[in-house]
Amino acid sequence: MGAMGSLLPPLATQQDVEDAIGRSLESDEASRIGFLLEKLSADFRHVARRDFTVNTYVQRRKIDGGGKVWLPQAPVISVESAIDDHGAQVPFRMLPGGIIVDTSSRDFVTVTYTAGFEEIPRVIVLRIADSAKRALTVGSAPLAAQGVDQVTRTTGPFSQTMHMAAWAVGGQTMLTPEAMELAKSCQRVKRGHTWHTL
């Protein structure tokens, strides 16, 4: 069982959003900011498949060849224990992204470990704050910032058509395309017996 799904702190603060907007939030914006930051942070974590904040995890993991056990949350700060399915403590040593257990078994081991960042990487904070800024200012921002990606104007009988980008339609709370790409790049990928932390 991990921390994902439990109530985690937002990945950005109201101050970060105010810095992105360039002013203090108005009262109607301030009343929405908690929800926006919580939702955007949850969306980012869901796409990235990581929590980012420091948490302790208890997870049953498969032992790969060579005794390698991959831990999905990162960065790993410490590993408290590795216990086999019979309740016996399994000796282990740390690896970047996981542990190696001293067994030739390909069974499972329950690992208790602590992982996460003491301080959220600034690039993540900036992307979350920018996504919140867009949600708050969609009605008053220039057309491009609102998500308009095509405008057709006719002088004749006064017609105007605007096409909105999928992420901006209705001004719903969504990660910006840049934040979505960053979240995808934060996914930890395991290929064979090599760990890749992006």
Side-chain angles (χ1 to χ4, degrees):
M1 179 177 159
M4 290 191 76
S6 62
L7 189 57
L8 297 171
L11 297 173
T13 65
Q14 179 173 329
Q15 184 60 55
D16 296 320
V17 177
E18 289 175 346
D19 291 346
I21 294 175
R23 60 171 171 77
S24 296
L25 296 182
E26 296 173 9
S27 62
D28 62 322
E29 295 169 331
S31 68
R32 295 180 55 211
I33 196 63
F35 167 80
L36 292 175
L37 291 174
E38 188 175 327
K39 182 183 183 311
L40 291 166
S41 297
D43 290 350
F44 193 91
R45 286 178 168 116
H46 176 75
V47 172
R49 298 184 202 138
R50 292 173 59 190
D51 290 343
F52 298 99
T53 50
V54 175
N55 289 298
T56 299
Y57 303 88
V58 179
Q59 297 176 331
R60 187 171 184 257
R61 309 297 303 167
K62 176 85 170 104
I63 301 171
D64 290 338
K68 294 179 182 175
V69 178
W70 178 70
L71 302 174
Q73 295 294 324
V76 175
I77 298 169
S78 64
V79 177
E80 287 75 36
S81 67
I83 300 173
D84 68 17
D85 285 345
H86 305 290
Q89 189 82 2
V90 178
F92 64 89
R93 63 183 188 278
M94 299 273 301
L95 277 180
I99 60 174
I100 291 184
V101 294
D102 293 330
T103 180
S104 59
S105 171
R106 288 184 173 246
D107 291 334
F108 290 84
V109 64
T110 299
V111 181
T112 301
Y113 69 103
T114 302
F117 292 97
E118 291 291 335
E119 186 173 327
I120 303 301
R122 191 71 184 146
V123 67
I124 294 172
V125 172
L126 295 173
R127 293 290 190 226
I128 296 294
D130 186 56
S131 294
K133 177 188 85 169
R134 286 190 186 189
L136 289 172
T137 62
V138 73
S140 62
L143 292 178
Q146 292 181 47
V148 175
D149 63 6
Q150 183 179 13
V151 176
T152 306
R153 294 186 177 156
T154 307
T155 322
F158 307 106
S159 67
Q160 178 179 6
T161 304
M162 287 190 255
H163 180 266
M164 304 294 282
W167 61 265
V169 176
Q172 66 267 41
T173 306
M174 295 176 65
L175 294 170
T176 62
E178 299 85 5
M180 188 69 89
E181 285 304 310
L182 178 62
K184 288 177 185 175
S185 76
C186 289
Q187 292 175 353
R188 298 196 66 223
V189 180
K190 180 184 157 237
R191 294 185 182 94
H193 298 295
T194 305
W195 290 276
H196 300 273
T197 302
L198 305 174

